[in-house]
Amino acid sequence: MERFLGENFEVKSKNSSEEALQRWRNLCSVVKNPKRRFRHTANLSKREEAASMRKTNQEKFRIAVLVSKAALQFIGGPPTQTPGEYFVPDEVKAAGFQICAKELGSIVEGHDIKKLNSHGGVNGVAEKLSASVTNGLPADETLLRKRQEIYGINEFAEAEARSFWVFVMESLQDMTLMILGICAFVSLIVGIAMEGWPKGAHDGLGIVASILLVVFVTATSDYRQSLQFRDLDKEKKKITIHVTRSGYRQKMSIYKLLPGDIIHLGIGDQVPADGLFVSGFSVLIDESSLTGESEPVMVSADNPFLLSGTKVQDGSCKMMVTTVGMRTQWGKLLATLTQGGDDETPLQVKLNGVATIIGKIGLFFAIITFAVLVNGLLTRKWHEGSYLSWSGEEALQMLEYFAVAVTIVVVAVPEGLPLAVTLSLAFAMKKMMNDKALVRHLAACETMGSATSICSDKTGTLTTNHMTVVKSCICMKVKEVNGPVEASSFCAELPDSAVKLLLQSIFNNTGGEVVTNKEGKREILGSPTETALLEFGLSLGGDFHAERLASNLVKVEPFNSTKKRMGVVLELPDGGLRAHSKGASEIVLAACDKVVNSNGEVVPLDEKSLDHLKVTIDEFASEALRTLCLAYMDMENGCSPDNPIPVVGYTCIGIVGIKDPVRPGVKESVAICRSAGITVRMVTGDNINTAKAIARECGILTDDGIAIEGPDFREKKLEELHEIIPKIQVMARSSPLDKHTLVRHLRTTFKEVVAVTGDGTNDAPALHEADIGLAMGIAGTEVAKESADVIILDDNFSTIVTVAKWGRSVYINIQKFVQFQLTVNIVALVVNFSSACLTGNAPLTAVQLLWVNMIMDTLGALALATEPPTDELMKRTPVGRHGNFISNVMWRNILGQSFYQFIVIWILQLKGSLIFGLEDSDSLTLNTIIFNSFVFCQLFNEISSRNMEEINVLKGILDNYVFVAVISCTVLFQFIIVEYLGTFANTAPLSFSQWFFCIWIGFLGMPIAAILKLVRV
């Protein structure tokens, strides 16, 4: 079976080929309810249509943009003729605005610089929107509501949520239930005609009631799942961005943006609405999502158009929102992006394969059973010589045989298997949300359970991301500066010229900002590293705003993980130009040829001074401090905005050591991973000594592990890489390409299942390459989150371990359910088939089999697929990439339990009347005992299936209220069916001793299951 599943029902956890997705669909021939079975699988035909439509839209938009740009070049600058006069619609005027949404849309979408200039440029448009490019929109609620009425909201059209009755209708489309419904109808007609009302209607009504019960229980379960997915979709849409309103910078949901809002964009942000560039530096925009063009576009005052859905590849800027929601091109495209649904998960596909195999076997047995039963009836009539005359009773008997055969198909085709995966994943995803992990793709949840390797960032994941400057080496003097008092005393020891240079570097060469919030308190915005440096500058007595006003920013090259440095060029008050650089200490220091000495003088950087600075960097790093070097250069030859900032010839101002403490619980989490067979590797851009110190503190770096730097890793030959990669535990000074290469080798060469964390734009390729991409929810950019499968909302490594535990729980829970369901399948098939062949009738009627089907399908999935994870799960070795899903342990339990149940039922059929002292005419009571014993065998087997290997299956049973509720409800309904619904369910009330016997027979399955677990396989 595993070989067949591997060849035909194997898909990747992500990026599966269309061929692989289509292949398994073609093999699923025995499907009772395609609507329900394939609800959570991709609609390939619709996906193809959507892709074609999307491509057409992209091409149209690309051509429009190119035509607009060509026209602009042809015109060659300012418009030579005045554009047609624009008339403001009355309702827009009445609301206090001077430009309508349609005009704004045509300016930005058409890249129409002529039209923009005719409205007075960006400032003119801001004025017509009653906004300010400095202070943004006024925060008055009445004005905001008016603006919303005129220009719309920044929300996109969504598919309407499906109601409960839609799920009821889908459940009714089960082919076997339809056939049983027809049988019930015929039974009603014939029964009433023969025996009158109500006696003749009992059999038919019993089947109808069973069908309705199955339909409503199934629909309720499916509807609850849909609600869970809807809640998760809401969480995915919680995206915030920095906005200036009423002069205050604040975080705001992108769905609250309105035209006129001033938003702040940085590397990795997705542009949330159409807008116009206000100010910024080196802004490169990736427009491939809209136009299909891979070449990034430079956005500046000359080309100020920013489009919703595009991504900031480099630089930072302020943008004024002009068009929102469905008026944007992205809003129109977005509808096609989600059509076709997500790819199905590997487990869903594998279980579709299992369901298909068993379904075909079940169909074969059903046909044989029907043939044997009909043959028995025809043979009897032949011997009696009455084969030409048929009574109503014999017609009903024939109908009952057909209903039994159809019901065997109902029970035999485990339609619930693939859906149990979805149920378990939905349950796990909802619970993981509470544990600070947002799952974006279903497959990631189950794949994480097979993970054998985690490549984790250091900053913010293993550490707290609360950074402070605790040591510095300024003017060659090393000093602890842990706190404002120490910093101010250190400042007093430094020459004024050096302090001035230091503050100029800190406050100008930064991606952060010091602002005053609504409460009037000072607030520092920016990354943790920028925040730490700005706090240090303020503690030295610096004034952020005064320093920024003292000089003019000419050029900015923002920090990125490839260059590992940031640079700015300032125009000084005296008219000269000065470049400031900061970044990875050894990289910036290597660009320096001079240094500021203890007297504040600029002197050549000789070997002695260089050694002193290198030793200082190593000392700081060995204390697990993040080191940054600050440097400057006076640019006597000037600087062209088009040329990059020089990379050599700098003067070193000093080194700062930033403390970023290890998160509490990380060491314990790493130890849990090690005991679970998961290798944790640290991949960081930091100094190797800092990385090693943190790795040792976390328990990642061991005596036999290797710590390597990215440049060294890059130079290794393929044979050397194959030798060292399994031993690598720390990679420092790594580039995104190094991370991608490491992940690719681990996956392809060493067949590991790899989880990777990332927060930056450049991490997207590694997140995409990995089996499970984990993006940081706090520090992560929107580009990283979009490429990820799971978002770690608290950026904590311990949460990653929790995700792994939930992943294992999903995998184990599905295995438990499969074990339980296959046992029921085998016993129900064999019992009904053998009984039909040997005795000429089936002991379990259609109504009884429908009830058994509900126990094992919907209720069984609810009970077993929602078991919460235990710490014991992290003491097992991971399944890995090619583990057998239906393991030998499962086959042992399935066959052992099936054999016991079959023997019990068979003995009851042959000797039941003798055991209970029943008359030959009292076959109804015997069949009820068989049915009752069979159900209790399944109930106790369900309890035994809670743990496939441990004997103590009752441990923690009361913690799972769903399991307890399902078992309790099943017992209650079984009692009602046997004692009070005999007319409809073909049962007879049982005595106390008979009830005790049935429960005892079921209970005996538990010690037998325990004995089976002692058998090693």
Side-chain angles (χ1 to χ4, degrees), residues 65 427 456 604 939 970:
V65 170
F427 173 78
S456 173
L939 277 179
T970 307

Side-chain angles (χ1 to χ4, degrees), residues 976-993:
I976 293 168
I977 287 168
V978 170
E979 295 296 320
Y980 302 108
L981 299 178
T983 316
F984 299 101
N986 285 27
T987 58
L990 300 179
S991 66
F992 178 80
S993 60

Side-chain angles (χ1 to χ4, degrees), residues 1 4 27 29-31 353-370 405 408-414 822 825-830 833 886 891:
M1 183 186 276
F4 176 77
L27 292 167
S29 51
V30 183
V31 180
V354 173
T356 300
I357 294 167
I358 296 170
K360 287 177 179 177
I361 295 168
L363 186 61
F364 172 77
F365 272 88
I367 292 168
I368 297 296
T369 303
F370 179 67
I408 286 175
V409 176
V410 173
V411 176
V413 180
L822 291 187
N825 286 140
I826 290 170
V827 177
L829 271 178
V830 174
F833 174 72
I886 303 181
W891 280 123

Side-chain angles (χ1 to χ4, degrees), residues 264-270 281-284 311-317 557-561 563 759-762 779-784:
H264 302 258
L265 297 170
I267 295 177
D269 284 338
Q270 182 166 304
F281 296 94
S282 312
V283 182
L284 272 180
K311 300 172 186 74
V312 183
Q313 195 166 304
D314 202 3
S316 59
C317 70
E557 286 185 359
F559 179 88
N560 69 43
S561 52
K563 297 181 294 185
D759 52 16
T761 308
N762 292 329
T781 62
E782 283 308 313
V783 172

Side-chain angles (χ1 to χ4, degrees), residues 38 111 127 131 174 263 292 354 363 592 619 750 826 869:
F38 300 121
H111 286 53
E127 199 175 312
D174 187 310
I263 62 174
V354 173
L363 186 61
C592 296
E619 283 177 0
F750 299 98
I826 290 170

